[in-house]
Amino acid sequence: MEHVPALDEDLKKTLGPATAKVLAEQLGLHTALDLLHHYPRKYAERGELTALTELADQLDEHVTVVAQVADARILTFNGGRGKRLEVTITDGNGRLQLVFFGAGVHKPHKELLPGTRAMFAGKVGMFNRKLQLSHPAYEPLGADASDEDAATAFAGRLIPIYPACAKMESWKIAKCVDAVLPSARETVDPLPPALREGRGLVPLTEALLKIHRPATKADVEDARQRLKWDEAFVLQVALARRRRADSQLPAVPRRPAPGGLLDAFDAKLPFTLTEGQQTVSKEIFDDLATEHPMHRLLQGEVGSGKTMVALRAMLAVVDCGGQAAMLAPTEVLAQQHHRSITEMMGELAEGGMLGGSDQGTKVVLLTGSMGMPARRKALLDLVTGEAGIVIGTHALIEDKVQFHDLGLVVVDEQHRFGVEQRDALRSKGKQPPHLLVMTATPIPRTVAMTVFGDLETSVLDQLPAGRSPIATHVVPAKDKPHFLARAWERVREEVGKGHQAYVVCPRIGDEETADPKKKSAEADGDKRPPLAVLEIADELRGGPLAGLSVEVLHGRMDPADKDDVMRRFAAGEVKVLVATTVIEVGVNVPNSTVMVIMDADRFGVSQLHQLRGRVGRGSAPGLCLLVSEMHEASPARARLAAVAATLDGFELSRIDLEQRREGDVLGQAQSGVRSSLRMLAVIDDEEVIAQAREEATRVVADDPGLERLPGLKLALDALLDTEREQYLEKG
């Protein structure tokens, strides 16, 4: 009886240690189940069975022919260093040449002896005005070579092409899959039978057989539909259970006191909140008033006023005796938030100080580079409850930091923080604090449902009154150098009108430790190193922007120097700021009207949109110039054109996602490296995700412990290995 590998059996037993080692190290495949879920990325078709005389009409097509080897000879070229095998085949009516090169000549030379009858499959090409197949796949036919059925089956079969690596080609992976395919019958189906039948999905065993060894394209489609549902549904069940668990936790309700700090702040606002800000604030206040912790994602366009909404939530918590902490990813951003929040609050941010308001509170800043006396004072203000609001970087998470009564955690730019960091801050509350996560990178609805499925989502898509439009243009520096010269003229014109400008570069330029190998590789190839802040600043001071005050800002500067440059830029003393992406989020200088992004093709779509949001924040229109040396037909230029064509961040985030894929939706680095989604594409499969979420919520409400669905429980355990389980618990 054949050996059927157990699903959790190490591949060493089935495939041998050498093959198993390559699969584990290169592709992360350790068990039979892993290999069953390593799906083909596409399928090659051998093409119709064709007579040799008809090949002239099939140029560039994939074909399969049955023929006999007439002769085979090895030729050398390049002074004997290169080898080429030429094989002539005939089917009695026509002749055709096959060619094999390099190390690939030995096997066919041994196997394709004159007189051998075989099936050959490949793409019809032309060389020296003769038709040929280059490196065709072939399968010798036995003595009973008249078997046309075997040939037709060979021709019509879909050949799975697997995600492969240098040490393990697709066809070798296919052989490995063949070895474990019998164990597909042992798989436990995670979908509840009623759901599967109701949606007309094939059983899991059938889906696995059809995805790996399809007879027809319809088989592939059936399998894909089914396997997409598995991924979407199991993931949504994990998130639905998480939402349910959160809703069972206790929290202190935080209701703003009438006539308190929030009312005093609202009364002194010089503008009216947008309708969107009012709606989202109401959603947040309703959540804060409940006895379970709020878990809300606040996403909005660049400049839609998220900070204002977050500040009002923090004031509401302070109103009823609690404290609020805002976690920012960089010191520049923490300082910027601290500065803008204290400015917005005025005397209300000086509680307990001379001249401060009776209703006010203290707003403190806590960052890693603060001097010891200032740090000690801030820590004391937190533990006594004197400071109602603290804004800080990772320094907030340290063990030394104690709160009097932490009621709300606001995380800015969520994607910059690991789960452990958010969790460490949340654990500082006596009871779980409420959580508000902010992101300025708009996320398409389905991505939000998949990546942040445990958070309720609020969206700000309205810009506050008085915001100006931003015009964006691509500057093709290589094809049209005069366009770049004109860009610097535009900067001078804006400065002449009393405005200011940003110039953004991908690199700082003080990297003495740069990898010499990488440097020489870049020098040898077409690709020069990315443009650097320090070099461009010098060029501009000595050239097109001579006479203007040009300063630099980057992450490796001393924090005091960074703060000094930002203050002088905000005050209008510095006219042009040459910076890295440290200015990407949160920097607010309404007088800046123009931004030039050098080597714009080296930034992602969402990043360009973020950067662009730093201009046009006042009453004068904004201008963003994307400088690139890439060729007009390149994908990079297409990406830049997309950014120039729309200011809609949600549309751009879709484009960005389609290009980058989703990353590991449950894992900590949502970067596209390792994805728990093998079949599901978050953007393309919106409908499946939405339906899966509904079904998952229903299933979890009905059977929270999944006692009646052991198959689903098993799939969930497999998906939530320890690392991901912690991720979901901490989220």
Side-chain angles (χ1 to χ4, degrees), residues 323-343:
Q323 290 168 293
M326 182 185 257
L327 191 56
T330 63
E331 293 211 349
V332 167
L333 191 51
Q335 288 162 341
Q336 176 81 29
H337 275 317
H338 182 253
R339 195 158 43 238
S340 64
I341 282 173
T342 47
E343 278 168 14

Side-chain angles (χ1 to χ4, degrees), residues 25 61 136 157 186 192 216 414 421 507 509 535 574 643 668-669 718:
E25 287 177 2
E61 297 287 326
R157 206 166 72 218
E186 310 296 315
T216 63
Q414 183 278 337
Q421 295 157 324
R507 195 166 60 94
E535 292 156 15
V574 172
V643 175
Q668 293 174 23

Side-chain angles (χ1 to χ4, degrees), residues 109-189:
H109 191 226
K110 275 191 211 144
E111 294 178 345
L112 297 177
L113 302 169
T116 306
R117 192 165 161 78
M119 295 178 280
F120 303 91
K123 192 176 180 182
V124 182
M126 178 81 81
F127 181 71
N128 277 346
R129 292 202 288 224
K130 275 189 182 165
L131 292 174
Q132 68 170 28
L133 298 185
S134 181
H135 278 280
Y138 60 88
E139 203 160 295
L141 291 167
D144 184 15
S146 61
D147 188 352
E148 281 297 309
D149 293 347
T152 309
F154 174 86
R157 206 166 72 218
L158 293 170
I159 306 156
I161 308 293
Y162 288 92
C165 60
K167 293 184 179 174
M168 183 72 71
E169 298 95 331
S170 169
W171 62 270
K172 284 186 186 162
I173 294 172
K175 284 195 165 161
C176 296
V177 170
D178 281 337
V180 300
L181 209 50
S183 62
R185 346 188 244 274
E186 310 296 315
T187 52
V188 183
D189 203 319

